[in-house]
Amino acid sequence: MKLQIFLALAIIAASAVMPAFAHKTVYVDEYEIEVGWRDEPPLVSQQNAIVFAFTTSDGEGVSTGVTNAFKDLTATVKSGSVSKQLDVLSESKAGHYYSKILPTQT
């Protein structure tokens, strides 16, 4: 399961390098993972962040944030042949994380 989450994050993070105007959500087992830009649209040379939200469903439309989601996970962005492992930080809200990034390409 951890490998599946890592692969889903790798795919999402790699697509996050291109301009995106909406967050992307994937489902892995019981987890809902949403990834997107903090400030949209992302602008070249302007500080931004990639944001992550990990939740699980409690039923009847109620969900709970997943704490320590990156305990055994890493997130990597890739552009062409260049890749970089992200430093993922926790937000104050459970299940919410971010990684500061400075977009260098359109």
Side-chain angles (χ1 to χ4, degrees), residues 38-97:
R38 174 169 285 157
D39 301 317
E40 295 181 20
L43 302 174
V44 172
S45 299
Q46 184 173 333
Q47 184 70 46
N48 206 335
I50 297 174
V51 293
F52 307 88
F54 283 75
T55 57
T56 59
S57 176
D58 294 339
E60 299 184 25
V62 178
S63 61
T64 301
V66 178
T67 57
N68 296 320
F70 281 93
K71 179 181 175 189
D72 296 320
L73 298 176
T74 59
T76 303
V77 292
K78 184 175 180 180
S79 177
S81 63
V82 179
S83 63
K84 179 184 179 196
Q85 185 171 329
L86 298 175
D87 294 323
V88 180
L89 306 168
S90 296
E91 295 271 4
S92 58
K93 187 174 179 182
H96 290 255
Y97 307 89

Side-chain angles (χ1 to χ4, degrees), residues 12-25:
I12 293 169
S15 67
V17 183
M18 299 179 290
F21 300 104
H23 288 204
K24 174 80 174 171
T25 303

Side-chain angles (χ1 to χ4, degrees), residues 1-8 73:
M1 181 181 73
K2 291 178 185 177
L3 179 59
Q4 292 171 331
I5 293 173
F6 171 75
L7 292 175
L73 298 176

